[in-house]
Amino acid sequence: MEWIDSHSHHYLTSLSILDELRKTGLSIVVEASWIPVRPTSQSTLIDLYNWIVNQEKVRMERVGLKLLPAIGIHPRCIPLNDMEQSLRNVETWLQMDEVKALGEVGMENGDDTETYVFERQLRMAMQADKPVIVHTPKTNKKNILKKELDSIKSVSFPQELLVIDHLNSEIYDLVINLKTYFGLSIQPGKLTVDDALKLVQKLDIDRILINSDSSTEPSQPTWPASLLSKLENSGLTELARKIAFENPIRFYRI
């Protein structure tokens, strides 16, 4: 089945692995900006955006994949010495047609700096009319998501243009009645295939996105395809098709 990896950092993945993923049905890759260290300067993020938006398109085409770039300042990647210029840079990049979303953004510990940067970026995305990938952390997940939802409400950002990512059973009750999309990161330490299977059958099938979140962290980028196979084998082909392709097509306006 054709599928879209709705949130990844596949610029850190080799071409040979990407070629193998294409054989599982992967056709489109969303790459969200993140690096595993805190940048010392805004110029580091500029280079990252250029890498994702301009270089990755060509690399993906070599193995028959389409790229959808997302740029933004991840809460663990805020250049504290260059914060304001970094935010102005995001605003400029979001105006580009090639950039399809803001992401990933959000909070890690919920301090004042993270709140300020998150809300500034939400306003930029609203001005640019771009969807947003919202990060939720591994630790203190529920309390941080509550703070993120407060920020989303305070800037009146339309929920339909948000995907709350790294969703799990811990925060399920906070999002079930929202109009946001639900991002299932099927990755070691986040969701197993069986964990995702349980969530998929409880959520609104028109608002589920699946992703590998592949990065420098332990990753199993074929796990989303394994979930789709399990759904198909259980006779849930329509559900599989929606979360694999139709929902991300709608969310990212492809």
Side-chain angles (χ1 to χ4, degrees), residues 170-185:
E170 181 184 350
I171 58 173
Y172 167 84
D173 62 318
L174 291 182
V175 302
I176 188 61
N177 293 318
L178 300 179
K179 296 178 181 178
T180 65
Y181 283 73
F182 312 120
L184 305 186
S185 299

Side-chain angles (χ1 to χ4, degrees), residues 186 191-201 223 226-227 230:
I186 310 169
L191 290 177
T192 66
V193 173
D194 287 339
D195 290 335
L197 186 61
K198 292 174 185 176
L199 279 172
V200 159
Q201 296 180 76
W223 277 8
S226 297
L227 171 66
K230 282 200 170 190

Side-chain angles (χ1 to χ4, degrees), residues 27-93:
S27 61
I28 300 175
V29 173
V30 178
E31 289 189 345
S33 55
W34 166 84
I35 53 174
V37 294
R38 187 178 295 276
T40 56
S41 167
Q42 54 89 22
S43 60
T44 301
L45 292 180
I46 288 291
D47 290 338
L48 176 61
Y49 302 159
N50 181 54
W51 178 10
I52 294 173
V53 174
N54 298 314
Q55 301 303 315
E56 279 294 281
K57 177 177 183 291
V58 176
R59 195 174 75 105
M60 289 289 170
E61 288 174 348
R62 290 176 60 188
V63 290
L65 296 173
K66 180 178 180 180
L67 173 71
L68 294 184
I71 68 96
I73 304 174
H74 188 287
R76 296 202 304 269
C77 298
I78 300 171
L80 300 179
N81 297 327
D82 246 346
M83 188 170 66
E84 291 300 330
Q85 183 58 53
S86 298
L87 287 165
R88 288 191 288 270
N89 292 340
V90 170
E91 188 168 23
T92 298
W93 282 81

Side-chain angles (χ1 to χ4, degrees), residues 17-252:
I17 292 175
L18 289 168
D19 191 40
E20 290 301 312
L21 287 171
R22 181 187 57 78
K23 294 172 185 176
T24 72
L26 182 64
S27 61
I28 300 175
V29 173
V30 178
E31 289 189 345
S33 55
W34 166 84
I35 53 174
V37 294
R38 187 178 295 276
T40 56
S41 167
Q42 54 89 22
S43 60
T44 301
L45 292 180
I46 288 291
D47 290 338
L48 176 61
Y49 302 159
N50 181 54
W51 178 10
I52 294 173
V53 174
N54 298 314
Q55 301 303 315
E56 279 294 281
K57 177 177 183 291
V58 176
R59 195 174 75 105
M60 289 289 170
E61 288 174 348
R62 290 176 60 188
V63 290
L65 296 173
K66 180 178 180 180
L67 173 71
L68 294 184
I71 68 96
I73 304 174
H74 188 287
R76 296 202 304 269
C77 298
I78 300 171
L80 300 179
N81 297 327
D82 246 346
M83 188 170 66
E84 291 300 330
Q85 183 58 53
S86 298
L87 287 165
R88 288 191 288 270
N89 292 340
V90 170
E91 188 168 23
T92 298
W93 282 81
L94 277 179
Q95 301 301 320
M96 299 179 184
D97 291 338
E98 298 90 337
V99 175
K100 299 304 181 183
L102 172 72
E104 68 187 287
V105 298
M107 301 181 194
E108 188 70 23
N109 56 47
D111 63 26
D112 290 345
T113 297
E114 289 183 358
T115 301
Y116 171 74
V117 171
F118 181 44
E119 292 182 3
R120 279 281 304 274
Q121 290 184 98
L122 287 175
R123 291 188 177 95
M124 293 172 193
M126 193 156 50
Q127 180 68 30
D129 192 28
K130 297 284 174 78
V132 178
I133 303 167
V134 179
H135 165 84
T136 58
K138 288 183 180 180
T139 59
N140 201 21
K141 196 176 189 75
K142 197 163 193 173
N143 287 333
I144 297 301
L145 177 55
K146 287 178 181 178
K147 289 188 175 186
E148 290 175 329
L149 293 176
D150 285 344
S151 288
I152 290 163
K153 184 178 180 180
S154 74
V155 303
S156 300
F157 195 91
Q159 292 184 5
E160 299 84 357
L161 289 181
L162 295 167
V163 55
I164 305 298
D165 227 321
H166 316 320
L167 183 71
N168 63 14
S169 58
E170 181 184 350
I171 58 173
Y172 167 84
D173 62 318
L174 291 182
V175 302
I176 188 61
N177 293 318
L178 300 179
K179 296 178 181 178
T180 65
Y181 283 73
F182 312 120
L184 305 186
S185 299
I186 310 169
Q187 181 193 51
K190 292 191 174 76
L191 290 177
T192 66
V193 173
D194 287 339
D195 290 335
L197 186 61
K198 292 174 185 176
L199 279 172
V200 159
Q201 296 180 76
K202 294 196 295 183
L203 295 164
D204 181 346
I205 66 171
D206 290 319
R207 292 187 287 142
I208 301 170
L209 307 181
I210 58 172
N211 67 75
S212 70
D213 196 24
S214 290
S215 67
T216 55
E217 296 295 316
S219 301
Q220 295 286 347
T222 60
W223 277 8
S226 297
L227 171 66
L228 298 174
S229 294
K230 282 200 170 190
L231 290 171
E232 285 189 286
N233 292 337
S234 300
L236 299 172
T237 302
E238 180 185 0
L239 171 55
R241 185 171 58 250
K242 281 181 176 289
I243 70 174
F245 197 77
E246 294 177 10
N247 294 349
I249 287 285
R250 187 188 322 113
F251 180 72
Y252 288 111

Side-chain angles (χ1 to χ4, degrees), residues 1-17:
M1 174 176 289
E2 185 175 5
W3 64 285
I4 296 171
D5 194 341
S6 68
H7 173 170
S8 77
H9 310 285
H10 273 310
Y11 45 89
L12 300 167
T13 300
S14 71
L15 275 179
S16 59
I17 292 175

